[in-house]
Amino acid sequence: MPSCRVCQGEKPEEFLDLGAQPHCNALLDAEDADAPAYPLKVFFCPDCTTVQIDHTVPKEKMFGHYLYVSGTTETLRRHFADTTRRLIARLGLKADDLVVDIGSNDGTWLKTWKPMRLRAVGVEPAKNLAERANAEGARTVNAFFNRSSAALIRRQDGEAALVTAAGVFFHLEELQEATRGVATLIGQNGVFCIQAVYLGEMLRNTAFDNIYHEHLTYWTVRSLQALLARYGMEIFSVGLLPIHGGSLEVLAAAEGTRKVEPSVAGFLEAENRNGYGDIRVYRDFAARVWKTRDELLELLQKLKGEGRKIFALGAPAKGATLLNSFGIGRDILDCATEVNPLKTGKFIPGVRLPILDEAAAGVPDAYLVLPWNFLPELLRKKRDYILNGGSFIVAAPRPALITKDNYESFAGSDA
Ligand SMILES: [Zn+2]
């Protein structure tokens, strides 16, 4: 691969090749030709320990028009409202303080600051989402977050007390420029809050379906620290949140301006102990991915052999990775069902699976659950379906069939 996205080191080493795949969110219309496929290979940089993919699909192609809408998911809305209350108390934010949200999507998070009378502005490259957020009163700049959009906000609104990046920091093609922009915006007094899927949890859950072209980098505390240090920032607090199957919440500020909490050393020591700085851990992960494929295909083919009708539940980005990496196509699945009207009527690229409106699609014998990170919410929603003899199939953390007999053991806490 070219040099490392974080440290520019020249020796990133490949440990997983998921084959050529289309951009996962490039959903097709019926008349569209197949989407172009790009390499999806994952590398480990021995110099700064950052895990990353080598191929960059141009950001305009991936994020100019975006179909993932945060507000669709109840779990996410609640998560952002909780985070806002927690950060206000924790950081002592007050009325008129400025909060800047990177990749603010439809403004779901932005809106939560308003009742507390903070000023909030989002930066969102997708025109459709920025327009929607602005129409709903969540002030949004339609741009990619980088040094120049950061400078624009600083000129217009002053320094930020808080810059947030939830579920977007691994998307950044202009990683160095964006990080520099954050450092400028928070100055000596502000805080940068990153929430990102934790590589440690991805490894623990064999959640390889988090790997797709939109996710250029996969973070540990150590690799984030390496990046932030290049721009004079340091991490002063780390926590793990249940959202998206296990996300890091990192708080950082200008070096030396905050007391570094014991949680930082705690995470760094655990990462060291778990070998996240060693390529062997990633080779083991790759082996588990292929074992998951074998077990999942066996389960699906068994059900199919018994004449069962199987739908995919949901059509999230990670679902395209799962289906295309494992070759699960229309010989096994009839369709995917969705509640997001931006997706229904389209096709998942690669496998070309039609996406139908969930309410109109009928009821299969089993659903392959693609957004397994929202499994508890989905289990609650489909409780009657399962208790009446339907099934869920999940791929991670390991392939499993959920029926009325084991429903309770999976329906536990939120993930
Ligand atoms: Zn590196």
Side-chain angles (χ1 to χ4, degrees), residues 232-303:
M233 291 182 277
E234 76 182 343
I235 296 173
F236 66 87
S237 170
V238 188
L240 197 60
L241 307 171
I243 199 81
H244 296 307
S247 296
L248 271 185
E249 181 178 81
V250 161
L251 299 178
E255 225 172 283
T257 59
R258 306 255 166 172
K259 185 170 173 294
V260 177
E261 295 169 9
S263 56
V264 180
F267 266 82
L268 290 171
E269 277 159 26
E271 289 180 356
N272 211 13
R273 223 171 27 243
N274 291 329
Y276 296 169
D278 185 336
I279 181 76
R280 281 176 299 183
V281 162
Y282 303 98
R283 296 220 175 95
D284 290 349
F285 167 76
R288 293 198 303 278
V289 171
W290 301 124
K291 186 161 179 276
T292 294
R293 173 191 59 189
D294 296 346
E295 291 177 8
L296 183 65
L297 286 177
E298 195 184 319
L299 176 58
L300 289 167
Q301 275 151 3
K302 179 170 169 285
L303 291 171

Side-chain angles (χ1 to χ4, degrees), residues 17-24 35-40 57 208 211-213 320-326 350:
D17 182 354
L18 295 172
Q21 297 201 20
H23 164 222
C24 56
Y38 310 98
L40 191 54
V57 178
F208 79 100
I211 299 166
Y212 43 86
H213 292 107
T321 295
L322 177 78
L323 302 179
N324 286 313
S325 301
F326 290 176

Side-chain angles (χ1 to χ4, degrees), residues 62-348:
M62 293 197 287
F63 303 116
H65 182 86
Y66 207 51
L67 300 181
Y68 179 84
V69 183
S70 306
T72 327
T73 311
E74 177 211 323
T75 309
L76 266 186
R77 286 199 305 270
R78 212 175 51 221
H79 164 75
F80 285 134
D82 291 348
T83 305
T84 289
R85 277 194 293 275
R86 189 162 46 76
L87 288 180
I88 285 178
R90 169 84 198 273
L91 302 173
L93 300 173
K94 50 192 192 307
D96 284 332
D97 277 350
L98 177 67
V99 180
V100 177
D101 189 26
I102 302 177
S104 50
N105 197 278
D106 64 347
T108 299
W109 197 0
L110 282 180
K111 289 173 196 161
T112 63
W113 301 99
K114 210 169 189 177
M116 322 288 182
R117 307 195 28 241
L118 282 89
R119 290 178 297 142
V121 55
V123 184
E124 170 54 55
K127 191 158 173 276
N128 60 318
L129 295 175
E131 275 170 3
R132 179 167 168 170
N134 277 314
E136 291 170 5
R139 199 180 131 214
T140 303
V141 179
N142 183 207
F144 284 96
F145 185 85
N146 51 28
R147 186 154 44 157
S148 61
S149 46
L152 173 82
I153 292 172
R154 183 159 173 164
R155 267 199 313 280
Q156 290 182 343
D157 300 276
E159 261 182 21
L162 178 65
V163 174
T164 56
V168 297
F169 206 62
F170 36 46
H171 288 165
L172 300 177
E173 180 181 331
E174 302 172 281
L175 185 61
Q176 306 286 341
E177 284 301 281
T179 311
R180 191 194 304 274
V182 171
T184 312
L185 257 181
I186 64 171
Q188 292 296 302
N189 301 307
V191 169
F192 183 28
C193 171
I194 303 169
Q195 293 184 350
V197 167
Y198 186 32
L199 179 58
E201 289 298 286
M202 270 177 66
L203 295 170
R204 198 170 66 84
N205 293 319
T206 316
F208 79 100
D209 53 355
N210 260 309
I211 299 166
Y212 43 86
H213 292 107
E214 291 182 6
H215 293 171
L216 303 169
T217 41
Y218 302 83
W219 298 107
T220 59
V221 176
R222 181 168 165 192
S223 59
L224 265 178
Q225 183 78 284
L227 173 68
L228 297 172
R230 293 169 76 91
Y231 300 95
M233 291 182 277
E234 76 182 343
I235 296 173
F236 66 87
S237 170
V238 188
L240 197 60
L241 307 171
I243 199 81
H244 296 307
S247 296
L248 271 185
E249 181 178 81
V250 161
L251 299 178
E255 225 172 283
T257 59
R258 306 255 166 172
K259 185 170 173 294
V260 177
E261 295 169 9
S263 56
V264 180
F267 266 82
L268 290 171
E269 277 159 26
E271 289 180 356
N272 211 13
R273 223 171 27 243
N274 291 329
Y276 296 169
D278 185 336
I279 181 76
R280 281 176 299 183
V281 162
Y282 303 98
R283 296 220 175 95
D284 290 349
F285 167 76
R288 293 198 303 278
V289 171
W290 301 124
K291 186 161 179 276
T292 294
R293 173 191 59 189
D294 296 346
E295 291 177 8
L296 183 65
L297 286 177
E298 195 184 319
L299 176 58
L300 289 167
Q301 275 151 3
K302 179 170 169 285
L303 291 171
K304 209 61 200 165
E306 294 165 358
R308 309 294 177 92
K309 186 197 277 193
I310 312 172
F311 292 178
L313 184 62
K318 62 172 63 208
T321 295
L322 177 78
L323 302 179
N324 286 313
S325 301
F326 290 176
I328 301 170
R330 296 182 71 167
D331 50 334
I332 293 175
L333 302 170
D334 290 21
C335 63
T337 64
E338 253 293 342
V339 290
N340 177 349
L342 295 178
K343 294 186 178 180
T344 52
K346 296 184 179 287
F347 292 77
I348 296 177

Side-chain angles (χ1 to χ4, degrees), residues 4-9 12 45-50 52:
C4 169
R5 293 178 188 273
V6 168
C7 75
Q8 274 99 47
C45 172
D47 294 329
C48 71
T49 75
T50 304
Q52 54 204 292

